[in-house]
């Protein structure tokens, strides 16, 4: 009997440890998936709102109203625009900083002459983003842009992004969700008291627990894994992901209560099972004492039937396990074949450029040797040797791309990377007459990046620009490098433009003829930009042609380590 009790305790102890670890990991994975979804919703809302100021800044009625001073119908027009785009609010501010029209008419007459969204919009003449605490205690996320009349600013249009709706949708799904800006301040949260605080300050805001609460907390901590933090006196796990926007982070806190409930339910079933077994044992012992012979016969028949059932169940279980193993092997082989196909296409795409350059250099070296100029031919062979080294680097980087690695990060001057990419494209440029305009700052523009992968992105963009201008009579390519809050490399061509912006960065999507491209260049370039902590965007220019922008964080003390990737469902 003592052995049975010890066995029951041991089984329940092991079950508690195993199920706690398993259910905790499941809960953490679900929290990470929710954070990835929440992060995507925020980015989508910000990107959608960022386009609105540019559209409204081109509205002639708003510009005419600022010039004439007649704002009788301006607020109604802004209300219509707000309803169509689902923004939080829209305000029109004149040059003095006074609100002359707004979707919230109570704000008309309010002065914002010293607010960042007004000052920065007039200073940059471009759409600017600002986040500031509102009068109600929340955070306003504003996109603003100056309205120009005759080349001079006439006012500022301010569009507030509706991010507070996400706080309401998050409430109840997780115990707490918070979004932190680059300075570590909480700007969005399901806990109103946390706004404007750092994470450590927010977690310290709680009432003093009673003796009973401390005892329950100690019991819960003993039964579960070591908690990441405490929320309202309860141990919670902390899950974090990076939002690819201005260094924002999102953190979710999930209680261990659901884990404990599921583990306790299984433990209750085990206790009930052991109790039933114990009761059956007592009954069997007492029955054997009274009618030992009859019990032996009944036990023998029962054991034979039980043995037959167990044999059938064991055979069925072994068959199911064998089928499962075969299915797992088939799935693993299919995954390997899919990865092999993707890597083969990527290698073919990325090595096409060096191979074309090598072909050109070999042809030049052959002519030089025929003409008795071996010294000049040696320079071509040296370039071919450099290209072979680069091909090896590309294959290593493709492996790194498949692993989402980042071991080769170092400070890189974007100006030098542009020059290296143009040198790499020299054979193609010699066969065509293309006007390339470079506008680079005199000072170095340093970023923390993998030099080979960064040059790979620039080469892909140059190659796409060359392909886009094949049918143009006077092909032109403009390269502009600027350094502000981040490093921005802009590449524009005068080709026909982009027909489908939504599918532009999808793998294997291309407008080229079969054999001319795999459709992987921009997909790989976008993934590399994300790995480097930036982003790659594209749009059509007003006068025709396509514009690609590569934004990367400037090298600072905080960016001297490689950027860490957030959670991605695709991985």
């Amino acid at each position: 009997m003592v052995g049975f009790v010890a066995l029951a305790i041991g089984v329940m102890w092991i079950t508690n440890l195993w199920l706690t670890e398993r259910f905790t990991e499941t809960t953490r994975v679900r929290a990470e998936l929710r954070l990835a979804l929440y992060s995507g919703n925020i980015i989508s809302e910000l990107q959608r709102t960022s386009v609105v100021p540019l559209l409204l800044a081109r509205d002639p009625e708003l510009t005419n109203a600022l010039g004439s001073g007649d704002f009788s119908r301006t607020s109604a027009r802004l209300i219509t625009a707000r309803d169509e785009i689902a923004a939080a609010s829209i305000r029109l501010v004149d040059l003095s900083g006074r609100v002359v029209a707004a979707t919230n008419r109570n704000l008309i007459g309010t002065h914002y002459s010293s607010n960042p969204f007004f000052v920065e919009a007039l200073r940059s003449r471009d759409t600017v983003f600002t986040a500031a605490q509102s009068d109600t205690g929340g955070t306003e996320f504003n996109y603003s842009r100056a309205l120009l009349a005759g080349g001079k600013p006439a006012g500022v249009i301010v569009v507030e992004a509706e991010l507070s709706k996400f706080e309401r949708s998050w409430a109840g799904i997780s115990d707490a969700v918070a979004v932190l800006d680059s300075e570590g301040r909480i700007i969005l949260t399901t806990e109103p008291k946390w706004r404007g605080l750092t994470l450590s300050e927010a977690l310290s805001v709680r009432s003093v627990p009673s003796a009973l609460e401390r005892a329950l907390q100690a019991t819960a901590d003993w039964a579960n894994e070591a908690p990441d933090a405490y929320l309202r006196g309860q141990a919670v796990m902390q899950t974090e992901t990076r939002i690819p926007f201005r260094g924002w982070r999102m953190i979710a806190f999930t209680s261990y209560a659901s884990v404990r409930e599921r583990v306790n339910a299984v433990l209750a079933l085990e206790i009930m099972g052991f109790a039933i077994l114990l009761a059956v044992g007592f009954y069997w012992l007492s029955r054997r004492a009274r009618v030992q012979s009859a019990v032996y016969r009944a036990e023998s028949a029962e054991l034979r039937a039980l043995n037959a059932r167990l044999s059938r169940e064991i055979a069925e279980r072994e068959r199911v396990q064998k089928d499962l193993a075969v299915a797992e092997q088939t799935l693993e082989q299919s995954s390997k074949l899919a990865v092999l196909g993707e890597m083969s296409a990527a290698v073919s795409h990325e090595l096409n450029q060096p191979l074309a350059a090598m072909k050109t250099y070999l042809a030049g070296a052959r002519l030089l040797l025929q003409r008795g100029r071996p010294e000049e031919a040696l320079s071509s062979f040296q370039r071919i040797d450099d290209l072979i080294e680069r091909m090896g680097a590309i294959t290593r980087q493709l492996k790194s791309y498949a692993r989402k690695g980042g071991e080769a990060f170092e400070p890189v001057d974007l100006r030098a990377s542009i020059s290296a990419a143009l040198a790499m494209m020299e054979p193609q440029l010699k066969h065509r007459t293309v006007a390339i305009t470079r506008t680079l700052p005199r000072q170095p523009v340093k970023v923390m990046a993998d030099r080979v992968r960064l040059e790979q992105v620039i080469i892909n963009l140059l190659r796409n620009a060359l392909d886009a201008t094949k049918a143009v009579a006077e092909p032109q390519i403009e390269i502009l490098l600027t350094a502000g809050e981040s490093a921005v490399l802009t590449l524009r061509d005068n080709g026909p433009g982009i027909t489908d912006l939504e599918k532009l960065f999808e793998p294997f999507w291309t407008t080229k003829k079969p054999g001319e491209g795999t459709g992987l260049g921009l997909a790989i370039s976008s993934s590399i930009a994300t790995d480097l902590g930036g982003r790659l965007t594209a749009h059509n220019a007003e006068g025709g042609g396509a514009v690609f922008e590569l934004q990367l964080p400037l090298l600072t003390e905080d960016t001297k380590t490689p950027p860490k990737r957030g959670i991605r469902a695709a991985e």
Side-chain angles (χ1 to χ4, degrees), residues 537-555:
T537 59
H539 63 273
N540 289 319
E542 296 182 8
V547 178
F548 287 85
E549 288 189 357
L550 175 62
Q551 298 184 12
L552 296 174
L554 288 171
L555 180 62

Side-chain angles (χ1 to χ4, degrees), residues 1 5-6 50 52 67 96-97 206 213 215 303 346 481 495-496 566:
M1 187 60 63
V5 174
S50 64
V52 179
S96 66
R206 61 167 178 160
E213 291 175 341
L303 288 177
L481 178 61

Side-chain angles (χ1 to χ4, degrees), residues 496-556:
I498 303 170
T499 57
D500 195 341
L501 288 171
E502 295 182 356
K503 296 182 180 180
L504 184 61
F505 296 106
E506 293 183 3
F508 303 105
W509 184 87
T510 179
T511 58
K512 301 177 182 177
K513 297 179 181 179
E516 294 183 0
T518 62
L520 285 171
L522 291 179
I524 293 176
S525 299
S526 178
S527 179
I528 292 175
T530 303
D531 290 344
L532 299 181
R535 63 174 181 170
L536 178 63
T537 59
H539 63 273
N540 289 319
E542 296 182 8
V547 178
F548 287 85
E549 288 189 357
L550 175 62
Q551 298 184 12
L552 296 174
L554 288 171
L555 180 62
T556 62

Side-chain angles (χ1 to χ4, degrees), residues 87-166:
S89 67
I90 304 177
R91 287 162 284 181
L92 181 62
V93 186
D94 61 13
L95 288 178
S96 66
R98 183 174 63 91
V99 177
V100 294
T103 54
N104 183 2
R105 299 181 187 273
N106 295 328
L107 295 179
I108 296 178
T110 307
H111 282 269
Y112 294 107
S113 57
S114 59
N115 283 52
F117 64 74
F118 176 78
V119 176
E120 294 181 12
L122 291 178
R123 182 183 303 166
S124 66
R125 305 291 181 87
D126 199 356
T127 302
V128 297
F129 175 83
T130 56
Q133 191 169 7
S134 63
D135 298 335
T136 59
T139 305
E140 285 188 4
F141 303 93
N142 296 315
Y143 280 99
S144 58
R145 188 183 182 92
L147 282 76
L148 302 179
K152 296 181 179 180
V156 174
I157 188 72
V158 184
V159 181
E160 180 183 354
E162 180 62 30
L163 297 187
S164 60
K165 63 182 179 182
F166 295 123

Side-chain angles (χ1 to χ4, degrees), residues 34 38 166 168-177 190 253-255:
R34 282 198 300 268
Y38 296 163
F166 295 123
R168 297 188 293 270
S169 63
W170 297 338
I173 298 179
S174 298
D175 289 275
V177 179
T190 56
F253 298 95
T254 306
S255 174

Side-chain angles (χ1 to χ4, degrees), residues 213-535:
E213 291 175 341
R214 288 196 298 271
L216 293 175
Q217 177 177 305
T219 304
D221 294 348
W222 173 82
N224 297 314
E225 293 184 354
D228 298 327
Y230 289 95
L231 179 64
R232 293 187 291 271
Q234 294 184 356
V236 293
M237 67 177 66
Q238 177 177 327
T239 311
E240 179 177 342
T241 187
R242 187 181 65 85
I243 301 176
F245 182 79
R246 294 177 173 266
W248 288 9
R249 294 179 295 139
M250 177 176 285
I251 299 176
F253 298 95
T254 306
S255 174
Y256 285 96
S258 60
V259 175
R260 194 70 258 156
E261 290 175 359
R262 296 168 68 183
V263 174
N264 290 342
V266 177
L267 292 179
L269 291 176
E270 286 190 349
I271 293 174
M272 184 180 299
F274 282 118
I276 293 174
L277 290 176
L278 188 61
V280 171
F282 277 120
Y283 173 78
W284 182 74
L285 290 176
S286 62
R287 184 71 174 173
R288 187 184 61 176
R290 293 193 301 267
V291 284
Q292 188 173 9
S293 60
V295 169
Y296 281 150
R297 291 193 297 270
E299 181 186 13
S300 178
E302 182 179 355
L303 288 177
R304 284 196 298 271
L306 179 61
N307 183 56
R309 289 198 305 271
L310 288 176
S311 298
R312 290 193 297 271
E313 291 180 0
I314 291 173
E316 181 66 20
R317 185 180 295 274
E318 290 178 350
R319 185 186 65 81
V320 172
Q321 289 179 346
K322 290 180 180 179
D323 294 342
L324 179 60
V326 173
E328 289 177 349
Q329 292 176 358
T330 304
L331 179 60
E332 181 180 359
Q333 185 65 19
S334 299
S335 300
K336 290 180 179 179
L337 291 175
V339 172
L340 180 60
E342 182 179 350
M343 290 299 297
S344 298
V347 169
S348 174
H349 176 273
E350 293 303 329
L351 295 184
N352 183 54
Q353 182 72 21
L355 287 174
M358 289 172 62
K359 184 176 181 181
T360 303
Y361 287 138
L362 283 173
R366 185 182 295 112
L367 291 175
L368 291 173
L369 290 175
Q370 291 175 353
R371 296 175 180 177
R373 296 157 65 183
E375 293 80 4
E376 299 181 19
L378 287 176
S379 63
S380 297
F381 290 134
Q382 180 61 43
R383 291 189 177 183
I384 293 173
D385 183 67
D386 295 339
L387 288 174
I388 293 174
E389 178 65 24
R390 183 173 184 84
M391 291 169 65
I394 288 176
T395 57
R396 291 194 296 272
Q397 291 303 323
L398 286 173
K399 294 178 183 178
S400 175
Y401 167 72
R403 297 192 303 268
K404 297 294 183 290
E407 297 84 359
F409 280 84
E410 60 181 350
V412 178
D413 188 355
L414 269 174
R415 303 180 306 168
S417 297
I418 294 173
S419 300
L422 288 172
M424 183 69 179
M425 294 293 295
E426 182 180 352
Q428 284 76 7
L429 296 175
K430 287 183 177 179
H431 289 81
R432 293 184 55 193
T433 302
V434 182
I436 298 180
T437 304
R438 284 189 293 176
T439 304
L440 308 179
R442 295 183 178 179
Q443 300 298 326
V445 181
K446 293 293 188 69
V447 297
M448 197 70 180
D450 188 326
R451 180 181 59 80
V452 175
R453 300 180 76 187
L454 179 58
E455 293 177 7
Q456 179 181 347
V457 174
I458 301 174
I459 290 173
N460 282 336
L461 296 180
L462 287 170
R463 183 166 51 196
N464 284 342
L466 288 175
D467 294 340
T469 56
K470 282 184 178 179
V472 180
E474 296 181 358
Q476 297 180 1
I477 299 176
E478 298 180 9
I479 302 174
L480 173 62
L481 178 61
T482 59
E485 295 183 356
S486 61
V488 180
L489 172 60
T490 304
L491 194 145
R492 175 179 178 177
D493 60 67
N494 62 341
I498 303 170
T499 57
D500 195 341
L501 288 171
E502 295 182 356
K503 296 182 180 180
L504 184 61
F505 296 106
E506 293 183 3
F508 303 105
W509 184 87
T510 179
T511 58
K512 301 177 182 177
K513 297 179 181 179
E516 294 183 0
T518 62
L520 285 171
L522 291 179
I524 293 176
S525 299
S526 178
S527 179
I528 292 175
T530 303
D531 290 344
L532 299 181
R535 63 174 181 170

